[in-house]
Amino acid sequence: GAAVAAGLVLPPRRVVSDIILPAGESLVNFAFLKESRENFIDMANKGIINVDMLGIPLSLALFSGLNSPLMEKYKFNVVEFGKGAKAALQRYHDIQNALQDEICIWAKETIDLKLSPLKIMELAEKKQTELKLEASEKDTSESLLAQMKQMVTPEYFEQMCSSMIRDTLLLKEINLNYNNWTSQVSNINLLSARAEAIPPKPATLEEIPHLTKEEAQKNDDLINNIYMEHPCVAQIEVVYDVQTTFDACNIHKDNNDNNNNSTNVTNPVIHKQTDIMEDDDTNLSNASKKPIKASGKVIAVFEGWLFGSPTGSLQWKLGITR
């Protein structure tokens, strides 16, 4: 599924078990517990739960998720998460925009549409391999790719490298490029919150003879369902507004560049326009000086270990944006 492809531990939300049943549980608690009703109203008044946007069923399911025993046990702080999520999403888009600019320059320097499709695909695959290698080898403070790799799941990182190259090549086919990307994130709202304990898998028959005495005891306890504290992962889904501004850039060099034999692609001639749906390339040169703006809503899924993290600390990772 999409969650597995994005490297997420928990599967996508299910209608019955993750929405209907939690919402019903909240209603039952409201009927018998005044404290629960007051807690819901308080969260709504503080904007933690946006009832107007979510509607009643999703609001009740979210309330149930935020107040689950595991969330309370490991002291999940929804307010602190909200502050961190906004900063993380803004940083995510800033880095993504800068990387997109770099790939646009690479395409302008490297890709000639007169090449065969097979050769273009070969160059694209080579670039994707170089991106992944750079992310692994460079220090995070020096490399945008390495910083991005720290923010997202490994699977999502690979998808992102591939999609940025693919999108750039598609734009090049219509003689357009985009650069000087900037984005502004706002209006972040919670959609869902879940926490689940993830029990380890018992050792296989082939692995059992190689276990240490301590490992064998833990494996027996697991098989016999003797209580032990399992790692716990939380998945938080948010929706937010993002406004992106960029410039439309004609891929072809203009006459001045050709006359001067200029090969400087770090400062390409930018032809700005307000509407990128123009059919005639000449419109790019005569377009107004206003940059192009695009806005929309994005859903992002964060996942992090509340207990038993493989890295030893809680680090939220982006697994999906759509």
Side-chain angles (χ1 to χ4, degrees):
V4 175
L8 294 172
V9 177
L10 299 183
R13 281 189 299 162
R14 294 144 293 195
V15 174
V16 174
S17 60
D18 295 316
I19 299 178
I20 295 177
L21 291 180
E25 180 182 332
S26 292
L27 284 176
V28 172
N29 289 336
F30 288 173
F32 296 99
L33 299 172
K34 179 182 178 182
E35 181 181 354
S36 182
R37 295 194 299 272
E38 291 176 344
N39 191 12
F40 178 83
I41 294 171
D42 183 57
M43 284 188 165
N45 289 337
K46 290 179 178 177
I48 295 172
I49 299 176
N50 189 335
V51 180
D52 291 338
M53 183 197 73
L54 293 176
I56 297 301
L58 289 178
S59 295
L60 293 174
L62 173 59
F63 177 75
S64 177
L66 291 173
N67 290 276
S68 71
L70 287 174
M71 289 289 199
E72 292 183 352
K73 178 179 181 178
Y74 296 111
K75 297 179 172 56
F76 172 72
N77 189 319
V78 65
V79 175
E80 291 300 316
F81 173 84
K83 293 177 182 177
K86 182 174 182 179
L89 289 169
Q90 184 64 61
R91 182 62 179 155
Y92 164 81
H93 283 284
D94 289 343
I95 295 176
Q96 187 182 48
N97 292 339
L99 290 173
Q100 190 70 65
D101 276 348
E102 290 182 3
I103 293 173
C104 286
I105 291 172
W106 162 81
K108 189 171 182 180
E109 289 179 317
T110 309
I111 302 297
D112 185 343
L113 293 180
K114 294 179 182 178
L115 296 173
S116 68
L118 188 61
K119 182 63 177 177
I120 292 177
M121 184 180 299
E122 180 183 320
L123 290 170
E125 290 177 352
K126 180 182 178 183
K127 180 62 176 177
Q128 185 173 347
T129 301
E130 290 173 353
L131 293 176
K132 289 188 285 186
L133 188 62
E134 179 186 338
S136 300
E137 291 183 344
K138 287 195 175 181
D139 184 81
T140 55
S141 63
E142 298 178 356
S143 169
L144 290 173
L145 280 163
Q147 292 178 50
M148 178 62 81
K149 190 176 181 180
Q150 290 290 319
M151 297 179 68
V152 302
T153 63
E155 292 81 357
Y156 188 48
F157 178 76
E158 291 206 12
Q159 293 176 30
M160 185 182 303
C161 290
S162 176
S163 65
M164 285 193 296
I165 293 172
R166 182 192 64 238
D167 293 347
T168 300
L169 295 180
L170 289 173
L171 291 169
K172 187 156 187 171
E173 288 182 5
I174 58 173
N175 296 328
L176 280 181
N177 208 341
Y178 299 146
N179 67 358
N180 296 335
W181 294 66
T182 58
S183 294
Q184 184 62 46
V185 170
S186 61
N187 300 327
I188 299 178
N189 287 285
L190 293 173
L191 277 181
S192 67
R194 292 184 291 157
E196 291 186 20
I198 309 296
K201 294 181 180 179
T204 64
L205 292 177
E206 293 78 11
E207 293 171 336
I208 288 177
H210 305 287
L211 297 178
T212 65
K213 185 176 180 180
E214 184 180 353
E215 290 171 340
Q217 182 62 55
K218 287 183 178 180
N219 191 59
D220 290 342
D221 291 346
L222 181 64
I223 293 173
N224 295 320
N225 202 28
I226 295 177
Y227 175 79
M228 62 177 66
E229 191 170 15
H230 298 313
C232 177
V233 66
Q235 189 180 100
I236 312 295
E237 195 175 15
V238 301
V239 59
Y240 61 97
D241 294 325
V242 60
Q243 179 172 285
T244 302
T245 305
F246 49 83
D247 300 330
C249 172
N250 197 322
I251 288 288
H252 300 309
K253 298 178 191 293
D254 69 359
N255 291 332
N256 291 331
D257 278 350
N258 289 335
N259 292 338
N260 295 328
N261 292 321
S262 173
T263 58
N264 182 4
V265 296
T266 58
N267 294 292
V269 175
I270 305 300
H271 304 291
K272 299 179 181 178
Q273 61 171 10
T274 54
D275 186 358
I276 62 174
M277 301 306 291
E278 298 283 0
D279 293 326
D280 187 351
D281 284 347
T282 59
N283 287 327
L284 288 171
S285 301
N286 300 323
S288 70
K289 296 298 182 180
K290 293 182 179 179
I292 300 164
K293 293 185 178 181
S295 59
K297 288 193 176 295
V298 179
I299 293 175
V301 180
F302 288 90
E303 207 169 66
W305 295 91
L306 299 181
F307 173 77
S309 167
T311 62
S313 62
L314 170 62
Q315 183 181 13
W316 295 98
K317 295 260 187 180
L318 265 174
I320 297 175
T321 59
R322 60 183 186 271

